[in-house]
Amino acid sequence: MNPRLVLAGSVTGAVIVALDGTVLTIAQPALQRDLDASFAQVQWTSTGYLIAVASLLVFAGRLGDRYGHRRLFGIGMLGFGVASAGIGLAPGIGWVIGLRVVQGVFGALLQPATLGMLRVAYPPDRLRGPIAVRTAAIGVAAAVGPLVGGVLVAGAGWRAVFFVNVAPALVFGVLALWVREPERATEVRLDLPGAALLAVTLGFLVHTLVSPHGLGPAVTAVAGIAFVRHERRTASPLIPRTVPGAPLGVLVAASAALSGTLFVSTYTLQYTLGLDPFQSALRCLPLAVLMVAAAAMCPVLLRRAGARRTTATATAVLAAGILLLSHASGALALGAGFALLGAGFGTVMVAATHVVVRESPVGSAGVAGGLQQTAMNVGPTLGVALAATEVSLVTFAAVALAGVVPAAGFRATITDRGRPGDRSEIPARR
């Protein structure tokens, strides 16, 4: 399949999912009023989706390794588009919640494939550019999402928020399934017991972070221990040992720090400083701008400094931005803080994602993509859960800096000393 078409599909899939999450937040109050729903019911429109996605991402990635990432991407996009249309036509809140879970299932199918397709379509020394483009597109989606959502809700109503996904999802879904080129797949055994245990672990973990009551923590712990024991004993584990774990820890720490900081900062801007939502959005704008710029510059940093140094430095920049925001009140200081936040997170996301995808064998690209997406779902959920306990921003700076520990586990760079055997650094193009 044409690499440029693969990149276009990967970017479109990632942007659709990113937009869906950001615009829904803006649409929820109108949805609640129109459907006469309770706050708890509206919350489940997000929680149900998150649980479905987090539970299935890794197994969906393994399905892509076995049956082909393009095929899984096409099915996921078509299903996501149809579910979005169904939500836009839903007569009641129960239908919305149920279809959001369905949307989460198909979202889990397409998200790992957006990275798996890139790993298969591009040679390792050319992956940094496509991953940077994908990350920059997600940054743009995060920036324009609230604006798009506000315009749609104010004009056509909350249902338009879901209809906007339908056309691109159906077009790229059909294109992905229409292509007749042979697709590389791997004859791997599907570890169904491992998939079930991991689904229970992650599903209850997300539910516990969102609503820390009941038996959630106990079920999460028991299922997690059982999953680890099973993976150590089975001949064909769901998560191969060749998939690196260190960059996943970096992504969880960075995304948790960012999401928690944004959650706290939103209340600070509107309640403490008395800004309206539009003024608050303007103060946060440097975050999106610098995130896009950092994603574009990260391939150069990776080539010159290596993944370890780039990630460690970017993590420090992210923490510095959080610390600056913890004392900022003026427009200049707030802008600088959000700019550092965007620059640090954009760089960390590209660098750590690159290590996950590049270090994983092609035959495990789907699992690697699923794990990366899982980290990017669990991290923000953890960050918001911490923010709900009213911790200070200094705590989130510490969470960000905790990402330096797994980053130290990245392989040494080739360009530092010219040592052979490293795979986390990207050699310069010839």
Side-chain angles (χ1 to χ4, degrees):
M1 194 171 179
N2 188 303
R4 292 184 179 180
L5 186 57
V6 169
L7 178 58
S10 176
V11 168
T12 302
V15 167
I16 282 177
V17 172
L19 273 176
D20 182 79
T22 54
V23 298
L24 175 62
T25 303
I26 302 297
Q28 282 179 334
L31 182 153
Q32 182 177 4
R33 290 193 301 269
D34 187 39
L35 299 182
D36 193 25
S38 67
F39 179 78
Q41 288 174 320
V42 172
Q43 188 178 34
W44 266 101
T45 63
S46 295
T47 302
Y49 176 88
L50 282 173
I51 291 175
V53 168
S55 300
L56 297 173
L57 277 170
V58 178
F59 183 61
R62 202 52 164 168
L63 289 175
D65 290 331
R66 176 161 180 168
Y67 298 109
H69 302 298
R70 175 169 49 80
R71 182 178 291 112
L72 266 291
F73 174 80
I75 294 171
M77 288 288 273
L78 289 177
F80 196 91
V82 172
S84 296
I87 296 171
L89 298 171
I93 188 64
W95 280 96
V96 173
I97 295 172
L99 286 170
R100 280 287 286 170
V101 173
V102 173
Q103 194 181 44
V105 171
F106 286 105
L109 292 179
L110 76 90
Q111 288 186 62
T114 62
L115 288 172
M117 291 191 303
L118 293 181
R119 179 66 178 89
V120 174
Y122 289 86
D125 63 337
R126 293 182 57 198
L127 270 173
R128 63 184 180 272
I131 290 176
V133 171
R134 180 180 178 276
T135 302
I138 293 173
V140 172
V144 305
L147 178 62
V148 171
V151 171
L152 290 174
V153 172
W158 66 268
R159 297 179 186 274
V161 165
F162 294 98
F163 287 132
V164 77
N165 295 327
V166 176
L170 296 182
V171 167
F172 277 91
V174 170
L175 281 175
L177 296 178
W178 184 266
V179 173
R180 299 299 182 184
E181 295 179 12
E183 186 174 13
R184 179 185 301 178
T186 306
E187 289 298 324
V188 294
R189 292 180 58 188
L190 295 178
D191 180 16
L192 296 180
L197 288 170
L198 183 61
V200 172
T201 301
L202 292 174
F204 274 91
L205 173 62
V206 170
H207 185 269
T208 299
L209 292 174
V210 173
S211 181
H213 305 291
L215 297 176
V219 175
T220 302
V222 171
I225 293 171
F227 172 72
V228 172
R229 287 172 59 87
H230 170 79
E231 290 291 285
R232 288 178 175 176
R233 295 178 178 181
T234 185
S236 301
L238 176 65
I239 302 177
R241 294 176 179 84
T242 51
V243 176
L248 300 174
V250 174
L251 288 171
V252 169
S255 58
L258 176 71
S259 297
T261 299
L262 291 178
F263 186 93
V264 173
S265 297
T266 298
Y267 283 91
T268 300
L269 290 171
Q270 296 188 29
Y271 287 88
T272 304
L273 301 181
L275 302 177
D276 60 37
F278 180 72
Q279 292 172 323
S280 299
L282 289 179
R283 297 291 192 277
C284 298
L285 190 59
L287 187 154
V289 174
L290 266 293
M291 181 177 169
V292 173
M297 288 297 299
C298 191
V300 178
L301 297 175
L302 285 171
R303 187 170 62 246
R304 294 181 177 179
R308 179 189 296 174
R309 292 180 180 179
T310 298
T311 305
T313 303
T315 299
V317 171
L318 175 61
I322 297 172
L323 290 175
L324 180 56
L325 287 175
S326 68
H327 297 92
S329 57
L332 183 60
L334 287 169
F338 283 118
L340 289 175
L341 226 63
F345 183 75
T347 304
V348 168
M349 187 173 175
V350 173
T353 299
H354 171 264
V355 176
V356 173
V357 177
R358 178 183 167 91
E359 289 283 301
S360 301
V362 174
S364 298
V367 169
L371 288 169
Q372 190 270 354
Q373 293 293 318
T374 299
M376 295 303 297
N377 277 274
V378 171
T381 307
L382 173 61
V384 173
L386 282 175
T389 64
E390 299 183 2
V391 299
S392 68
L393 287 181
V394 175
T395 301
F396 290 110
V399 171
L401 289 175
V404 174
V405 177
F410 292 2
R411 296 171 185 255
T413 66
I414 293 174
T415 53
D416 281 344
R417 302 293 181 188
R419 290 188 292 267
D422 172 52
R423 296 183 297 161
S424 67
E425 168 61 29
I426 311 168
R429 292 187 186 181
R430 298 185 183 276

